[in-house]
Amino acid sequence: MSTPDRNPQSGAAGARVAAPTGGAFLTERQDANTVLIPEAFDDDLKMFAQTARTFVQREIVPDFAKLEGLDYALSRAKMATAGGLGLLAVEVPEVYGGLGAGKAAASVVTEAVAASGSFNVTFNAHVGIGTLPLVYFGTEEQRARYLPRLATGEWVAAYCLTEPGSGSDSLAAKARADLDGDEWVLNGTKMWISNAGFADLFTVFAQVDGDKFSCFLVEKGAPGLSLGAEEHKMGIKGSSTRQVILENVRVPKGNLLGEIGKGHRIAFGILNIGRFKLAVGASGGAKQLIGLAQAYAKERRQFKVPIATFGLIQEKIGRMAADTYALESAVYRLAGSMDAATDGKHDPAAQLAALNDYAVEYSFIKVFGSEILDYVVDEALQIYGGYGFSADYPIELAYRNSRINRIFEGTNEINRELTVDQLLKRAMRGELDLLGPAQAAMLGRPVETVTAPAAQADAELALANLKLGTLMVAGMGAMAYMQGLEREQELLARVADMVGLCYMAESALLRSERLQGARGGEVALLLARLYAFAAVDRARDLGTEALRRIPRGKEALPRFQAYLAERGVDLVELRRQAAEAVYAADGYPLG
Amino acid sequence: MKAVTIIKQVPDAEARVRAAGGRVDLGGVTFVIDGMDEYGVEEAIRLREGGFELEIVALALGPSRSEDALRTALALGADRAVHIETDAWLDPLTQARVIAKVVEAEGAQLVFVGGKQADWDSAALGPALAEVLGWPHSDWTTALSLSDGSARVKHDTDGGQEELTLPLPAVITTQQGLNEPRYPTLPNIMKAKRKELAKRDLAEFAPGAALTELVSEDIQTQGRRGVIVTGDAVSAAAELVRLLRDEAKVI
């Protein structure tokens, strides 16, 4: 691939953004100067974001109602406009008409487009799971044939993995592909396919010889290719979702994508990036909703005062802001790591291998992103009160649209399992030293001092011990259940959440450390401390429940609770202050 | 032919600004290219797209952050940029004298200036620049075409419209309606990085002593009176009219 080296985003004082080992955050603290934060974006990123926001304002907002009514021609036209602006080409290599830019660049676009309702799904299904399989697995010929058209929006792509009988268990697909002379003959039914109604290119997974999971490129109009009716969905009603039915569909032999029996590499590699992108979109959506909710709270008067002055409203807005800040910080920290990890790698397979290094992070960030967005939209609706429940106001639609995020790109349940599963696999493959630190945590004592800026030293200390508590529970669980751990889903989920809380809280604190004394520094510090201390409270509950179940875990509770000690920080006060910061900024106060 | 488009960077329209110590505090404000200047850049690009061989030079006089607005102009389609860097507040005539030197040195035939600056609402720079250069000037321009060394323009008057021709070189100040400015595509944003952005020092242009000095700034604030008019509909309406007329003086 001839994509030139990207400019890795600069950290502070010329430090380069680093690519730490995936999962290593549990045992090592990254240098804050090597983390990508939105405040350090270069001009390109700022201008990409501005163009994407202008696109939404000029092209989507005026036609919002029509797009939500599901209008194939209009959706296609908007995709073409997006294509003309380069918004569909960010991750496509330059030789195929793309920009060859990285995940941070793609992320600023994704965040902005998140404010476009259902069109967000159309857009992301195309640029992510629709286009990326070709970017990472296409042959020279396949990429030359399809990528230029996908990059301009002349063609729209759909990704066909799920079947009526196989969702989370995607490798159990029943669709089959049989070689007949120079052609593959495809048969099967694919379910919940975004963009199906107006897509030109379908990326279809099917079994060869019964169990060799493989991937094929099918063009619209192929005889035997048909579509089911539009699904009647709860939300994202303006995106097309249909079954894709293949009955003796013949495609040339050369339309096999990747290798026979290696389809799982495509499916999981692309899903990994899709999970990351989902979290990015959630960050953009949450910021938009905070803007709406705070404006309404200031405007709506009850008992002769704006409801924004009430503690229970401030509490919601304060938590919304802290959660969103942590999510945004985590998303760009991870984007920076992804770009640094692939920097200088020209071979797409090597790039994807480097990206797969963060499989643990993708899984929990998808869970946290979708659940934070759901929390934010739920409380935004509550702040709007009766008007929130009315379809004449914007929250009702956002509420319905948000819900799918906990289901697609792998349900949150599967992603919680994957978080721990991948973490343990990385440890067993020797890619990550978890065993030593976990054993030390099972026997150790709380850390009493950390090196950190004074203003956030209390939260840093809490975080250092949160990591030890997490390692302790994970280690005890792994030892107690060994190979049977996978049957302890409830335990896995709790460990996954604790692992995610460590990363989120750390990302929040790394950013506030970087912003010390800079614009936004005080607000970042406030939100980072709020998030970190709330994370400790949540982790204490999670870990306590886990230890009560693990054999001999009850005896370990005092040690665990010493790690997650009560630190006496008044979170009610911090949430009030956070709400005031939102009000003063007329919306999400950073980014 | 060469066109210079003057670029000013202004606070985003939604920015919240505060005044402190007799100065407007712009800390924490997001800055953007002035929308009025975008009309000028767009018009120059359209002239070129319409077949004129036009080199488009974006010019800014202002603090270092103005570079971002120049980058936007380059991403929109300007060929190169000149940035005269200064943190000083300059009155419009002093600005015009500095800018005129660059325009003359460039040998430009057309200068586009935003009709009214979105920050301090000044509309003086365009006319002042025409005066310093001794060039004809079209104010509040809503249509422009070029032929045979002259420009044909339209501009709105109070309740009507005028059409004028003016020989080149000329200064054109822009107005809403002149065009619908495009916004930069991602590929053009990346290409803009490779375009020339020349930095010049204000001292080179010997601007001389300022003609006016900024003494203090303040911001109008609007607050709610919180008055609730009570009583039956007829007397409440009468009271409301009285308040609007005699106290608020809006009717």
Side-chain angles (χ1 to χ4, degrees):
Chain A
M1 190 163 77
S2 65
T3 304
D5 294 352
R6 286 185 297 271
N7 297 329
Q9 298 298 307
S10 58
R16 286 169 69 94
V17 171
T21 302
F25 64 90
L26 277 174
T27 55
E28 295 165 17
R29 191 170 192 286
Q30 194 176 345
D31 175 353
N33 290 326
T34 66
V35 173
L36 176 64
I37 61 171
E39 290 76 9
F41 284 169
D42 67 9
D43 288 347
D44 276 5
L45 290 195
K46 287 183 208 158
M47 290 173 79
F48 281 13
Q50 188 54 48
T51 286
R53 282 193 291 264
T54 308
F55 166 74
V56 173
Q57 278 308 314
R58 286 203 200 176
E59 297 291 335
I60 303 300
V61 170
D63 287 325
F64 197 83
K66 259 194 261 175
L67 282 165
E68 289 299 328
L70 185 57
D71 181 329
Y72 286 0
L74 191 61
S75 294
R76 290 285 308 227
K78 298 301 180 191
M79 286 296 281
T81 305
L85 290 164
L87 296 171
L88 308 178
V90 179
E91 294 166 85
V92 174
E94 281 181 295
V95 275
Y96 304 112
L99 301 177
K103 301 304 174 200
S107 296
V108 300
V109 172
T110 303
E111 264 207 293
V113 175
S116 61
S118 295
F119 182 77
N120 182 38
V121 174
T122 306
F123 183 95
N124 277 307
H126 174 82
V127 298
I129 54 181
T131 301
L132 294 181
L134 278 156
V135 169
Y136 291 112
F137 295 93
T139 61
E140 192 69 37
E141 266 181 313
Q142 289 168 339
R143 299 205 290 166
R145 175 169 172 79
Y146 297 113
L147 286 177
R149 289 186 254 193
L150 296 176
T152 56
E154 183 193 342
W155 277 31
V156 173
Y159 178 82
C160 312
L161 174 62
T162 298
E163 296 188 3
S166 62
S168 295
D169 187 9
S170 55
L171 298 186
K174 289 201 176 71
R176 55 182 294 162
D178 300 283
L179 194 59
D180 180 21
D182 282 346
E183 292 178 320
W184 290 103
V185 183
L186 300 171
N187 281 285
T189 300
K190 295 292 171 175
M191 186 93 192
W192 311 122
I193 306 308
S194 294
N195 291 351
F198 47 80
D200 303 278
L201 179 65
F202 299 84
T203 305
V204 177
F205 290 87
Q207 310 281 6
V208 174
D209 300 337
D211 62 352
K212 292 176 186 145
F213 195 64
S214 310
C215 185
F216 302 87
L217 300 167
V218 181
E219 294 182 17
K220 179 173 124 179
L225 178 70
S226 63
L227 303 173
E230 280 290 344
E231 302 290 349
H232 298 287
K233 306 185 296 273
M234 172 187 179
I236 57 168
K237 289 171 182 278
S239 67
S240 174
T241 315
R242 300 171 67 166
Q243 283 193 347
V244 172
I245 301 149
L246 304 119
E247 291 167 302
N248 291 315
V249 172
R250 303 181 83 88
V251 298
K253 209 173 163 183
N255 281 29
L256 170 75
L257 186 67
E259 296 168 44
I260 294 171
K262 301 280 175 66
H264 63 284
R265 289 195 185 166
I266 305 178
F268 296 152
I270 298 306
L271 273 180
N272 269 342
I273 301 172
R275 286 166 187 153
F276 166 71
K277 283 177 178 288
L278 188 144
V280 177
S283 169
K287 284 191 251 177
Q288 186 202 15
L289 286 160
I290 289 171
L292 288 171
Q294 67 85 30
Y296 186 85
K298 287 187 211 166
E299 197 177 284
R300 173 73 175 171
R301 296 170 76 85
Q302 290 291 281
F303 308 103
K304 297 183 180 172
V305 293
I307 63 169
T309 58
F310 298 136
L312 286 180
I313 300 295
Q314 291 177 345
E315 182 156 58
K316 297 179 199 308
I317 289 180
R319 186 177 152 193
M320 285 158 118
D323 285 7
T324 302
Y325 164 78
L327 176 61
E328 182 191 49
S329 305
V331 154
Y332 284 105
R333 176 188 183 189
L334 188 49
S337 300
M338 292 163 83
D339 284 345
T342 51
D343 187 41
K345 290 191 168 62
H346 299 287
D347 173 38
Q351 289 183 347
L352 194 68
L355 293 173
N356 284 339
D357 206 36
Y358 297 109
V360 174
E361 283 85 346
Y362 303 140
S363 280
F364 68 68
I365 209 167
K366 187 270 173 180
V367 171
F368 276 74
S370 57
E371 293 183 1
I372 285 172
L373 180 61
D374 249 9
Y375 169 77
V376 169
V377 77
D378 183 72
E379 291 289 37
L381 193 150
Q382 191 69 15
I383 290 167
Y384 267 68
Y387 295 101
F389 202 65
S390 161
D392 294 335
Y393 287 77
I395 307 295
E396 183 263 355
L397 180 131
Y399 183 88
R400 288 186 289 99
N401 284 354
S402 171
R403 188 59 181 82
I404 187 62
N405 288 304
R406 281 161 54 198
I407 299 168
F408 59 23
E409 316 303 78
T411 62
N412 284 12
E413 288 70 22
I414 273 286
N415 274 297
R416 285 188 156 99
E417 279 201 69
L418 283 171
T419 297
V420 182
D421 179 57
Q422 309 259 17
L423 200 57
L424 294 179
K425 278 189 181 142
R426 288 183 66 77
M428 282 190 286
R429 286 197 298 258
E431 293 163 354
L432 188 66
D433 179 20
L434 276 188
L435 192 63
Q439 280 175 336
M442 282 185 262
L443 303 167
R445 294 152 63 98
V447 174
E448 283 170 10
T449 54
V450 288
T451 316
Q456 62 187 61
D458 56 352
E460 296 281 2
L461 189 63
L463 170 64
N465 285 301
L466 170 60
K467 288 185 185 181
L468 294 176
T470 302
L471 286 166
M472 175 187 169
V473 175
M476 290 192 67
M479 276 179 48
Y481 295 103
M482 306 293 279
Q483 301 307 318
L485 189 59
E486 65 184 31
R487 287 190 298 275
E488 290 292 322
Q489 292 192 342
E490 304 92 328
L491 172 62
L492 290 180
R494 281 166 177 77
V495 172
D497 285 354
M498 293 173 76
V499 168
L501 286 167
C502 290
Y503 190 84
M504 297 279 290
E506 184 169 75
S507 303
L509 287 164
L510 284 165
R511 183 169 169 199
S512 64
E513 181 183 335
R514 272 284 288 287
L515 289 177
Q516 262 199 112
R519 179 179 159 188
E522 282 178 32
V523 177
L525 175 67
L526 168 64
L527 298 180
R529 289 183 71 243
L530 173 51
Y531 187 86
F533 287 116
V536 171
D537 285 347
R538 198 175 138 198
R540 190 184 300 114
D541 286 349
L542 291 164
T544 301
E545 282 202 7
L547 288 172
R548 286 180 196 139
R549 170 153 183 92
I550 296 171
R552 303 193 58 191
K554 275 191 284 287
E555 297 154 34
L557 275 169
R559 185 187 306 277
F560 175 73
Q561 282 159 358
Y563 284 136
L564 282 88
E566 171 58 47
R567 294 182 190 273
V569 178
D570 176 6
L571 299 187
V572 171
E573 181 58 31
L574 294 188
R575 289 192 192 101
R576 284 187 183 186
Q577 292 172 12
E580 289 302 334
V582 171
Y583 296 154
D586 291 327
Y588 176 69
L590 285 147
Chain B
M1 201 165 100
K2 203 180 279 186
V4 170
T5 68
I6 309 300
I7 303 296
K8 195 161 190 304
Q9 197 196 34
V10 295
D12 182 82
E14 285 167 19
R16 258 199 190 190
V17 288
R18 298 171 183 80
R23 285 289 183 275
V24 172
D25 174 15
L26 294 175
V29 165
T30 305
F31 290 92
V32 296
I33 182 172
D34 194 330
M36 281 284 192
D37 299 337
E38 287 184 73
Y39 295 127
V41 177
E42 177 68 29
E43 199 62 18
I45 296 167
R46 288 187 188 198
L47 285 172
R48 188 171 58 195
E49 288 173 347
F52 278 92
E53 275 195 27
L54 198 65
E55 188 191 6
I56 304 167
V57 181
L59 171 70
L61 171 59
S64 63
R65 59 175 162 74
S66 308
E67 187 179 323
D68 293 344
L70 285 174
R71 292 265 171 227
T72 303
L74 291 172
L76 286 168
D79 297 296
R80 59 189 175 83
V82 178
H83 183 194
I84 307 164
E85 215 173 305
T86 178
D87 288 326
W89 182 87
L90 300 174
D91 60 81
L93 190 53
T94 304
Q95 287 181 45
R97 286 174 177 164
V98 172
I99 290 169
K101 287 181 187 166
V102 179
V103 169
E104 282 173 337
E106 290 281 356
Q109 294 285 296
L110 260 180
V111 179
F112 290 96
V113 185
K116 186 152 106 177
Q117 293 166 358
D119 49 4
W120 270 248
D121 248 8
S122 169
L125 182 61
L129 184 60
E131 181 69 25
V132 174
L133 289 164
W135 291 5
H137 169 234
S138 167
D139 217 358
W140 303 114
T141 311
T142 54
L144 169 73
S145 60
L146 298 183
S147 63
D148 302 328
S150 72
R152 192 176 181 89
V153 299
K154 279 184 193 174
H155 82 149
D156 295 342
T157 59
D158 195 7
Q161 198 180 59
E162 285 179 340
E163 263 192 80
L164 307 165
T165 59
L166 42 160
L168 299 182
V171 175
I172 308 291
T173 59
T174 62
Q175 158 75 319
Q176 190 177 3
L178 178 59
N179 53 48
E180 176 67 30
R182 71 197 64 194
Y183 49 109
T185 68
L186 271 44
N188 284 344
I189 290 168
M190 295 184 78
K191 279 180 207 149
K193 272 189 306 197
R194 296 194 280 272
K195 293 182 179 174
E196 177 190 317
L197 196 160
K199 292 274 185 184
R200 305 284 292 273
D201 190 348
L202 181 63
E204 283 177 52
F205 301 94
L211 298 172
T212 52
E213 188 195 341
L214 180 68
V215 178
S216 82
E217 300 171 307
D218 210 344
I219 293 171
Q220 271 186 347
T221 52
Q222 292 171 323
R224 285 183 197 229
R225 290 282 298 278
V227 176
I228 295 173
V229 180
T230 53
D232 64 274
V234 174
S235 62
E239 173 64 4
L240 182 60
V241 168
R242 189 192 67 75
L243 287 170
L244 290 172
R245 187 181 57 213
D246 299 342
E247 295 209 7
K249 299 192 196 306
V250 292
I251 55 173

